[in-house]
């Protein structure tokens, strides 16, 4: 009797699993139809004088017991090297428009201690300044993206900072740099003229800022071969008027910035929690994050109209998740945990940036260490890599790649209440090495998705890579358990040019298709 019941149960399980399992999603990748260049700058970082983003996260000082090189944490630099970071935006953020660069040069003991008025009202020792930032840049082999102070500075102050960094002349400023220990000029790749000038950067109207941009940019002079690309401070969320105004002015603009943060609730007073969140907030966060695609598209439509030659890029130089502060922490420090949900969010954003790579020339996630959607969290001498770190590391193969088209026959969806989002995000590109890479994201918090992929124009001999997932919707790494969420190897089944892939629920995979 018991055996009969067991047999019936087994049969029910067998059939129900078969009936309930969704059919594979049919996907075609046209590897022989190269599209836009995916700039490595899409994988940029942002480090602001905010909370423990710089102090303790990157800078511990030369006398610290925490291992460091010239005051910069060795463990953090070693981990960041693996991300091949293309650029770091510094010193803010909102901090940039309150920062006066002369406070951060010269002997440390003579540097003024200021108040970081915007972030927590804490003391800003200026121990980390221009020289220390370029030390970090050179340790990581990355590009410098300086955010200049337009809001509370002057054209003269901004102009002189650039001269201090880049002049090889006998000027007093170049001499001061040499006296402070740096003989050669530094290379400055990008220069932001203010930050969020619609808000913390000065509460301006776009037309007023446009005139100021022209004024400041006039004086941003540097030697030939070391002239930074100039970035105008643009809009955010659904706004397009900043792009509209800035792309019409006769000015030398290489990029217009755009900022978008994803909140689970969409409400800045009660954003939602980084961990222990309900399933609904998995879906609502990703739904809010996906809105960036329409915002990017709308801004690009304006650029296409006003700049048909494609000279001006859209620089998404702040993006990522933003949650409520954990209780007991300084709300001005923006420290938050980072889960597999953040990893999925990051990968979905990458795939959107790839899709609009013709105009999205740069993005910078907010922020690199200990702030918002960070790559790394630190606590004294301890350090952990977040799920977002792993997603960045897995996607390094997309830096300076060439996009190829992907067609999804029928998009599976995930719902919660009124919200319905696509369950799948895919992008494909030929890497610098000529190999084909796929980024495959399953946004479904509970269900795996199987894929039947056909690769056109490419001899497939195998497909392998890594998958990142977690046991729970808020799986994350802690200092006691730092590898709870870590990439695992994955080998897909192939036959001819067909590939069968099973994506676990809530996962990000990057595969290399072998020839
Ligand atoms: O990244 C945190 C803050 O968010 C930045 O300082 C500011 O530019 C934005 O509002």
């Amino acid at each position: 009797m018991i055996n009969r019941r067991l047999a019936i149960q087994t049969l029910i399980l067998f059939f129900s699993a078969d009936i309930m399992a969704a059919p594979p999603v049919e996907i075609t990748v046209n590897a022989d139809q190269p599209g836009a260049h995916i700039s490595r700058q899409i994988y940029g970082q942002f480090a602001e004088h905010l909370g423990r983003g710089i102090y303790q996260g990157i800078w511990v000082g030369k006398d610290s017991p925490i291992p460091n090189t010239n005051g910069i944490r060795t463990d953090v630099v070693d981990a960041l090297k693996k991300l091949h970071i293309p650029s770091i935006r510094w010193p803010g953020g909102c901090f940039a428009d309150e920062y006066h660069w002369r406070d951060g040069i010269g002997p440390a003991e003579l540097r003024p201690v200021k108040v970081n008025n915007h972030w927590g009202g804490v003391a800003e020792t200026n121990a980390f300044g221009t020289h220390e930032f370029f030390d970090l840049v050179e340790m990581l082999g990355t590009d410098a993206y300086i955010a200049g102070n337009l809001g509370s500075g002057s054209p003269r102050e901004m102009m002189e900072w650039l001269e201090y960094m880049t002049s090889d002349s006998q000027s007093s400023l170049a001499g001061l740099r040499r006296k402070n220990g740096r003989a050669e000029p530094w290379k400055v790749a990008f220069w932001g003229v203010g930050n969020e000038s619609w808000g913390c950067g000065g509460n301006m109207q776009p037309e007023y800022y446009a005139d100021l941009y022209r004024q400041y940019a006039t004086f941003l002079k540097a030697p030939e071969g070391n002239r930074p690309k100039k970035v105008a401070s643009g809009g955010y969320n659904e706004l397009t008027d900043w792009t509209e105004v800035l792309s019409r002015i006769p000015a030398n603009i290489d990029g217009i910035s755009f900022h978008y943060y994803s909140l689970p609730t969409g409400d800045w007073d009660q954003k939602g929690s980084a961990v222990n969140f309900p399933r609904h907030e998995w879906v609502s966060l990703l739904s809010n994050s996906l809105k960036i695609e329409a915002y990017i598209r709308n801004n690009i439509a304006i650029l296409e109209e006003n700049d048909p030659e494609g000279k001006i890029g859209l620089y998404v130089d702040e993006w990522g998740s933003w949650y409520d502060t954990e209780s007991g922490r300084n709300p001005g420090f923006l420290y938050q945990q980072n889960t597999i949900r953040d990893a999925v969010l990051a990968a979905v954003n990458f795939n959107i940036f790839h899709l609009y790579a013709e105009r999205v020339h740069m993005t910078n996630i907010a922020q690199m260490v200990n702030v918002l959607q960070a790559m790394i969290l630190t606590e004294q001498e301890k350090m952990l890599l977040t799920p977002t770190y792993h997603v960045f590391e897995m996607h390094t193969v997309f830096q300076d790649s060439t996009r190829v088209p992907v067609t999804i026959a029928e998009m599976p969806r995930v719902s919660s209440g009124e919200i319905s989002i696509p369950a799948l995000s895919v992008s494909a590109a030929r890497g610098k090495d000529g190999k084909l890479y796929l980024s495959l994201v399953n946004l479904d918090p509970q269900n795996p998705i199987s894929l039947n992929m056909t690769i056109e124009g490419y001899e497939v001999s195998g497909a392998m890579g890594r998958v990142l997932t977690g046991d729970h919707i808020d799986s994350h790494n802690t200092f006691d358990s730092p590898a709870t969420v870590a990439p695992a190897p994955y080998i897909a089944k192939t036959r001819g040019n067909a590939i069968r892939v099973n994506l676990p629920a809530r996962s990000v995979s990057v595969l290399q298709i072998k020839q």
Side-chain angles (χ1 to χ4, degrees), residues 142-430:
T142 186
D143 283 346
Y145 177 5
I146 302 293
N149 179 347
L150 173 127
S152 70
S154 66
R156 176 178 174 173
E157 185 183 8
M158 196 184 282
M159 168 182 95
E160 291 185 346
W161 197 13
L162 182 58
E163 182 184 328
Y164 183 85
M165 293 173 185
T166 59
S167 176
D168 203 15
S169 73
Q170 294 309 309
S171 77
S172 303
L173 279 170
L176 184 58
R177 186 193 67 235
R178 291 188 193 104
K179 186 169 154 239
N180 287 332
R182 173 71 185 197
E184 297 298 311
W186 292 291
K187 177 105 182 73
V188 183
F190 301 95
W191 194 281
V193 181
N195 166 73
E196 295 196 350
S197 302
W198 44 264
C200 65
N203 281 309
M204 300 171 196
Q205 303 284 341
E207 293 77 9
Y208 179 68
Y209 170 79
D211 278 346
L212 286 185
Y213 174 88
R214 294 181 68 187
Q215 181 189 356
Y216 277 65
T218 304
F219 302 102
L220 285 175
K221 294 182 177 138
E224 213 181 318
N226 194 6
R227 293 193 182 129
K229 286 193 185 327
K230 295 189 193 104
V231 188
S233 170
Y236 62 101
N237 296 7
E238 69 279 7
L239 295 189
T240 51
D241 52 345
W242 285 76
T243 303
E244 178 71 57
V245 170
L246 290 169
S247 57
R248 278 184 187 279
I249 56 169
N252 181 358
I253 296 181
D254 296 293
I256 298 176
S257 76
F258 175 78
H259 292 180
Y260 181 60
Y261 286 99
S262 309
L263 283 58
T265 62
D267 174 357
W268 282 95
D269 293 328
Q270 270 196 312
K271 297 180 259 302
S273 174
V275 290
N276 291 323
F277 49 81
R279 178 188 182 276
H280 180 74
E281 288 189 9
W282 170 285
V283 180
S284 64
L285 175 76
L286 294 177
S287 167
N288 286 337
S289 201
L290 288 165
K291 289 178 185 163
I292 198 172
E293 179 168 1
Y295 301 156
I296 287 176
R297 206 185 310 121
N298 295 343
N299 279 284
I300 289 179
I302 290 166
L303 291 175
E304 291 295 308
E305 185 75 27
N306 296 347
D307 171 42
E309 289 170 7
K311 288 187 186 148
I312 305 175
L314 187 69
Y315 288 16
V316 187
D317 60 13
E318 287 187 31
W319 65 275
S321 59
W322 194 321
Y323 305 116
D324 290 328
T325 313
E326 282 172 30
S327 67
R329 291 194 183 263
N330 186 333
F333 281 14
L334 309 186
Y335 178 93
Q336 62 190 36
Q337 247 302 353
N338 191 296
T339 69
I340 185 66
R341 180 177 62 163
D342 295 280
V344 168
L345 183 153
V348 163
N349 276 270
F350 293 159
N351 289 349
I352 293 171
F353 300 150
H354 295 173
L355 203 54
Y356 295 91
E358 285 88 347
R359 282 283 181 179
V360 177
H361 298 169
M362 164 182 265
T363 90
N364 305 79
I365 191 168
Q367 300 191 5
M368 194 160 75
V369 185
N370 286 337
V371 176
L372 297 176
Q373 192 175 345
M375 312 301 108
I376 289 178
L377 300 177
T378 67
E379 189 74 61
Q380 302 297 343
E381 77 291 353
K382 294 185 209 148
M383 179 197 87
L384 67 79
L385 308 177
T386 66
T388 300
Y389 172 96
H390 292 304
V391 168
F392 268 78
E393 191 273 319
M394 289 160 68
H395 283 77
T396 52
V397 291
F398 285 91
Q399 294 191 13
D400 283 334
S401 63
T402 305
R403 194 184 63 214
V404 298
V406 173
T407 314
I408 300 175
E410 197 176 342
M411 178 59 85
R413 300 193 72 83
V414 194
S415 311
S416 180
E418 303 280 281
I419 307 172
S420 164
I421 58 170
L424 191 60
S425 165
V426 179
S427 84
R430 293 270 199 159

Side-chain angles (χ1 to χ4, degrees), residues 13-244:
L13 267 178
F14 180 82
F15 281 112
S16 57
D18 210 38
I19 291 163
M20 283 163 63
V25 179
E26 301 292 334
I27 295 181
T28 309
V29 177
N30 291 97
D32 50 353
Q33 292 177 20
H37 170 73
I38 297 174
S39 170
R40 69 183 194 286
Q41 295 296 348
I42 280 179
Y43 289 87
Q45 297 284 338
F46 170 34
E48 179 167 13
H49 289 237
L50 192 179
R52 311 239 185 270
I54 299 285
Y55 299 108
Q56 297 194 26
I58 293 168
W59 176 261
V60 286
K62 293 174 187 160
D63 301 329
S64 170
I66 298 173
N68 67 84
T69 310
N70 287 339
I72 296 175
R73 288 181 77 125
T74 312
D75 53 354
V76 169
V77 166
D78 286 347
L80 291 177
K81 275 184 184 162
K82 297 191 182 120
L83 301 187
H84 304 299
I85 294 173
S87 59
I88 302 176
R89 179 171 180 253
W90 173 84
C94 294
F95 181 81
D97 280 298
E98 298 190 2
Y99 182 62
H100 300 284
W101 67 271
R102 284 176 192 271
D103 295 343
I105 58 168
E109 62 283 6
L110 298 182
R111 297 185 192 180
V113 177
K114 298 276 183 83
V115 180
N116 188 335
N117 284 312
H118 203 88
W119 299 117
V122 293
E124 165 58 61
T125 63
N126 282 300
F128 191 89
T130 304
H131 290 251
E132 292 74 19
F133 173 65
F134 278 100
D135 275 355
L136 175 69
V137 160
E138 291 184 344
M139 285 176 198
L140 294 174
T142 186
D143 283 346
Y145 177 5
I146 302 293
N149 179 347
L150 173 127
S152 70
S154 66
R156 176 178 174 173
E157 185 183 8
M158 196 184 282
M159 168 182 95
E160 291 185 346
W161 197 13
L162 182 58
E163 182 184 328
Y164 183 85
M165 293 173 185
T166 59
S167 176
D168 203 15
S169 73
Q170 294 309 309
S171 77
S172 303
L173 279 170
L176 184 58
R177 186 193 67 235
R178 291 188 193 104
K179 186 169 154 239
N180 287 332
R182 173 71 185 197
E184 297 298 311
W186 292 291
K187 177 105 182 73
V188 183
F190 301 95
W191 194 281
V193 181
N195 166 73
E196 295 196 350
S197 302
W198 44 264
C200 65
N203 281 309
M204 300 171 196
Q205 303 284 341
E207 293 77 9
Y208 179 68
Y209 170 79
D211 278 346
L212 286 185
Y213 174 88
R214 294 181 68 187
Q215 181 189 356
Y216 277 65
T218 304
F219 302 102
L220 285 175
K221 294 182 177 138
E224 213 181 318
N226 194 6
R227 293 193 182 129
K229 286 193 185 327
K230 295 189 193 104
V231 188
S233 170
Y236 62 101
N237 296 7
E238 69 279 7
L239 295 189
T240 51
D241 52 345
W242 285 76
T243 303
E244 178 71 57

